[in-house]
Amino acid sequence: MKNVLSIQSHVVYGYAGNKAAVLPMQLLGVDAWALNTVQFSNHTQYQRWKGMVIPKEQIAEITQGIADIGALSECDAVLSGYIGAAEQGQEILNTVNAVKKANPNAIYFCDPVMGHPDKGCVVAPGVAEFLVSDAMSQADIIAPNLVELRELSGLTVENFSQALAAIEAILAKGPKTVLVKHLSKVGQDPNKFEMVLATQQGMWHISRPLHEFVGRDPVGVGDMTSAIFLANLLNGKSEIEAFEHTANAVNDVMTVTKESQKYELQIIPARNYIVNPISQYKAVKIA
Ligand SMILES: Nc1ncnc2c1ncn2[C@@H]1O[C@H](COP(=O)(O)OP(=O)(O)O)[C@@H](O)[C@H]1O
Ligand SMILES: Cc1ncc(COP(=O)(O)O)c(C=O)c1O
Ligand SMILES: [Mg+2]
């Protein structure tokens, strides 16, 4: 069994961060060691929440605790997502370095969760700058959405070809694989939900239905996307197989969520589709 140290948010109610990542990875047979960066009552897109940012020292302390029992070498990947404060950033990279020292085959998957003006995702000051200046170059895989693609590349991204150029710019900054979780308005078809996977072998595109949600789009989808993609890779799937499985599994969860008419991701009711998606959308090689 493979193991992922998942350093993300924890929400007590609902699904985002580790609550959107841990169960999907475990359903796929990969164990997730949840190290929480915050403990919030709920995700921040409710615009109100209680709880706390976990002190940065906890990241090193928990890492040391796992090292002390000789288990750090069992970690096959560090997955970072929602960071609670900028000062947690370097602690996360220290943990990545410690894991890679204990297991030279381990990888670092960075989901560069940044604040999202129109979605209302609230991220602490300085986190985006840390992701651009420090985390990106250390990441083996990075999974931006459109806002994050613009910030990480530092380029204008207003159409599909500019998105591909931005991906190339990120590949030149360290990551070996870029998974664009959502092309949003720079996709080829405004009525579809599109993703791009860029690897050392080229670029692939996948398109799935764009579900219309009344009012608010569900949150935590990017976290779930990154988790499912990583778990598939650790299970030995090719990057393309992992890409297709991820797009199809996430689409099925979105379908179940839409049918439920609930705001929170319906991961538990849709749990069988995470393992065996019914959607069958295929990746198309574009470069
Ligand atoms: N198939 C789909 N149809 C409609 N909306 C979707 C679909 N899949 C994901 N979404 C929505 O797209 C948005 C993806 O958010 P985005 O900021 O692009 O990435 P992230 O999920 O990392 O924040 C989310 O609001 C999610 O609810
Ligand atoms: C606490 C928390 N964790 C994680 C996320 C990331 O969610 P998403 O996967 O939609 O980017 C958010 C977004 O608002 C959040 O508030
Ligand atoms: Mg996100």
Side-chain angles (χ1 to χ4, degrees):
M1 180 169 70
K2 298 293 186 181
N3 301 296
V4 175
L5 176 58
S6 186
I7 309 176
Q8 303 196 53
S9 56
H10 173 66
V11 290
V12 175
Y13 174 88
Y15 298 92
N18 270 325
K19 281 286 286 304
V22 166
L23 177 59
M25 286 194 274
Q26 292 179 329
L27 284 169
L28 287 162
V30 169
D31 199 7
W33 309 345
L35 203 177
N36 299 321
T37 55
V38 304
Q39 174 166 277
F40 288 167
S41 53
N42 49 271
H43 66 67
T44 62
Q45 293 183 36
Y46 284 97
Q47 302 308 314
R48 55 188 303 176
W49 66 91
K50 299 289 188 189
M52 66 178 287
V53 174
I54 302 297
K56 72 179 176 74
E57 294 75 13
Q58 278 293 296
I59 296 170
E61 185 167 336
I62 296 294
T63 303
Q64 188 57 53
I66 296 171
D68 288 350
I69 61 169
L72 208 56
S73 59
E74 296 172 32
C75 182
D76 299 289
V78 176
L79 168 61
S80 73
Y82 188 94
I83 296 172
E87 59 267 21
Q88 290 182 345
Q90 188 53 50
E91 300 297 316
I92 292 170
L93 295 185
N94 294 345
T95 288
V96 169
N97 293 335
V99 165
K100 288 194 168 185
K101 196 168 169 201
N103 175 8
N105 295 320
I107 61 171
Y108 173 35
F109 189 128
C110 176
D111 184 341
V113 180
M114 297 180 186
H116 205 313
D118 52 8
K119 247 184 24 168
C121 173
V122 177
V123 173
V127 168
E129 292 78 358
F130 160 75
L131 291 165
V132 173
S133 307
D134 303 287
M136 172 167 48
S137 62
Q138 301 304 307
D140 296 295
I141 303 174
I142 196 159
N145 59 30
L146 175 57
V147 168
E148 297 150 0
L149 180 65
R150 289 170 171 150
E151 292 297 320
L152 291 169
S153 64
L155 299 176
T156 300
V157 183
E158 297 299 336
N159 56 49
F160 189 69
S161 59
Q162 288 177 340
L164 302 188
I167 293 168
E168 291 287 358
I170 292 171
L171 284 170
K173 296 182 180 198
K176 302 177 192 63
T177 301
V178 179
L179 170 68
V180 179
K181 296 172 295 193
H182 185 201
L183 278 175
S184 188
K185 55 181 76 74
V186 303
Q188 292 178 327
D189 179 343
N191 300 311
K192 294 290 186 187
F193 188 94
E194 300 173 44
M195 298 164 69
V196 167
L197 173 70
T199 76
Q200 301 300 302
Q201 285 71 45
M203 289 194 191
W204 285 261
H205 173 267
I206 204 162
S207 179
R208 65 182 203 246
L210 178 68
H211 302 290
E212 289 302 319
F213 289 88
V214 177
R216 308 175 294 186
D217 274 358
V219 175
V221 182
D223 307 323
M224 181 173 65
T225 300
S226 293
I228 293 172
F229 183 70
L230 177 57
N232 273 283
L233 291 180
L234 293 177
N235 283 336
K237 290 229 175 142
S238 71
E239 287 174 304
I240 310 312
E241 290 166 335
F243 184 45
E244 290 179 340
H245 183 122
T246 302
N248 289 314
V250 172
N251 186 58
D252 291 350
V253 175
M254 298 308 285
T255 302
V256 171
T257 302
K258 180 173 179 178
E259 287 166 357
S260 75
Q261 297 185 326
K262 293 197 169 86
Y263 178 33
E264 292 288 347
L265 270 184
Q266 297 300 297
I267 296 176
I268 295 171
R271 63 189 177 279
N272 295 331
Y273 300 139
I274 289 172
V275 182
N276 297 300
I278 50 176
S279 297
Q280 294 293 322
Y281 299 101
K282 291 294 178 195
V284 174
K285 195 165 187 339
I286 54 173

